[in-house]
Amino acid sequence: MSLIIYYELIQPVLLINVVFNLLSIIFSIAMMKTHIFDNMRIQDIKKKDNVYNRIPLILFNVLLLQPITTYFGVYLISDYFDLSNYLNILRIGWELLVMFIIDDFYFYWFHRILHINKYLFTNIHQIHHQSKSPYFCDYIYSHPLEVLFGTIGTFLGIIILGGIHKYTFISYTIFRLIHEIEIHSGIKSCMSNYIPYLGRSEEHDSHHLKLRGNFSSTFTYWDKLYNTYIEC
C-alpha cells in the first residue's frame, strides 16, 4: 500500500474517528457530572451511570482496534479507492447512499443475530447493553469482536459499488460517527427528525431499554420490513 493512500485516506479517517469519539467521552462525562442534558433526556434517570468505568474499553477500541481494522481493511481493498482530487458531488452522494443502505442491511442482521443467539448476547453484546439509557460514548462501548465484525458492512458496500472516491469514505466516516453518537446520546433527536426513515435516538433508546426490536442503526425501514420496529 502506497504512502499516498495512507496520508490521503487512512490518516484523515483515523484522526476524525479519534476526535469525534473523544468528544463523545467529554459529553458523556458532562452528562454524568452536570445537569446540562437532564431536560433533554429521553428517559427520566434517577441514578446516572458511571461513565469512567467504560473509558478503558472505549480507548482500546478507538486507539488500537479501529486503527488496525481501518488499516488492514483499506489495505485489502486499496484498489477500490479513487484518490484523485476531482470532486463530483453527485458521485459522492450516490456512493454514500448505497454504502449506508448496504452497511445498514448488514448491521441489521448482525445486530439481530447478536440478540437471537443467547451465547453471543451473553458473552459479547451484553457489554454494549450495560446501560438501559445510553450515553454519547456508548456508541463504541462494545466487545472488541463486535467492533471488529461490525465494520464488515462498510467494506462490503465499497466492494459491491466496485470502488469509491476517497472523499466518499471520509464523508461516510463523519456522517456515520455523528449519527451513531447521536442515537446513543440518550437525548431527544435533533437532526434525525428532519430526514425521512433516518433512525432516531428515541428508537435506539427504546432498543436499549427493552432489549428487543429496532435493530437497524442508520435507517428504520429494515425493522419495518421485517416487523421488528418498535414505535416510540
Side-chain angles (χ1 to χ4, degrees):
M1 180 169 54
S2 67
L3 288 176
I4 296 176
I5 199 168
Y6 175 78
Y7 286 113
E8 294 194 10
L9 188 64
I10 295 177
Q11 191 177 68
V13 165
L14 293 180
L15 180 60
I16 291 166
N17 196 54
V18 169
V19 169
F20 273 93
N21 280 294
L22 289 179
L23 285 173
S24 77
I25 293 174
I26 293 170
F27 281 125
S28 297
I29 293 173
M31 179 180 282
M32 176 184 70
K33 302 294 288 185
T34 71
H35 300 287
I36 298 174
F37 298 102
D38 287 3
N39 292 331
M40 294 181 279
R41 295 283 293 185
I42 297 170
Q43 298 181 42
D44 183 17
I45 303 299
K46 303 300 181 184
K47 183 180 179 181
K48 296 182 178 181
D49 291 349
N50 186 353
V51 175
Y52 295 132
N53 293 334
R54 302 175 194 178
I55 293 178
L57 178 57
I58 291 172
L59 291 180
F60 174 83
N61 288 336
V62 173
L63 300 179
L64 183 62
L65 186 60
Q66 286 187 328
I68 291 173
T69 57
T70 301
Y71 182 88
F72 283 102
V74 171
Y75 173 78
L76 290 173
I77 59 170
S78 57
D79 292 338
Y80 283 79
F81 293 100
D82 179 356
L83 300 179
S84 67
N85 290 316
Y86 176 68
L87 184 62
N88 186 324
I89 300 298
L90 289 178
R91 175 190 174 183
I92 292 173
W94 164 251
E95 290 174 350
L96 279 172
L97 178 61
V98 175
M99 277 188 67
F100 274 116
I101 291 173
I102 293 171
D103 177 59
D104 201 43
F105 178 75
Y106 168 84
F107 182 80
Y108 172 87
W109 285 107
F110 173 63
H111 190 191
R112 188 171 176 179
I113 289 170
L114 288 176
H115 278 264
I116 293 172
N117 187 292
K118 292 182 179 179
Y119 178 84
L120 292 178
F121 182 83
T122 302
N123 293 281
I124 295 178
H125 193 49
Q126 194 170 32
I127 292 175
H128 182 69
H129 275 285
Q130 286 184 8
S131 178
K132 298 297 182 183
S133 180
Y135 285 69
F136 296 93
C137 64
D138 281 331
Y139 145 65
I140 197 63
Y141 182 64
S142 301
H143 191 288
L145 286 177
E146 182 173 347
V147 175
L148 179 64
F149 285 96
T151 61
I152 291 176
T154 300
F155 294 104
L156 279 178
I158 296 171
I159 293 170
I160 291 172
L161 273 166
I164 61 171
H165 197 277
K166 65 179 180 182
Y167 292 140
T168 302
F169 193 54
I170 293 170
S171 301
Y172 174 86
T173 301
I174 294 171
F175 291 139
R176 181 168 174 78
L177 280 168
I178 291 173
H179 184 249
E180 286 293 327
I181 291 170
E182 184 199 20
I183 65 172
H184 285 89
S185 66
I187 64 176
K188 297 171 185 177
S189 295
C190 300
M191 67 172 187
S192 301
N193 289 327
Y194 302 99
I195 304 176
Y197 300 107
L198 188 65
R200 301 177 302 145
S201 302
E202 287 81 358
E203 277 119 10
H204 200 70
D205 201 272
S206 174
H207 171 77
H208 271 261
L209 179 64
K210 300 176 181 178
L211 295 179
R212 61 183 177 85
N214 294 347
F215 297 112
S216 288
S217 173
T218 308
F219 303 109
T220 58
Y221 52 75
W222 295 122
D223 280 290
K224 292 178 179 179
L225 178 65
Y226 294 112
N227 296 316
T228 53
Y229 181 75
I230 299 174
E231 294 286 348
C232 302

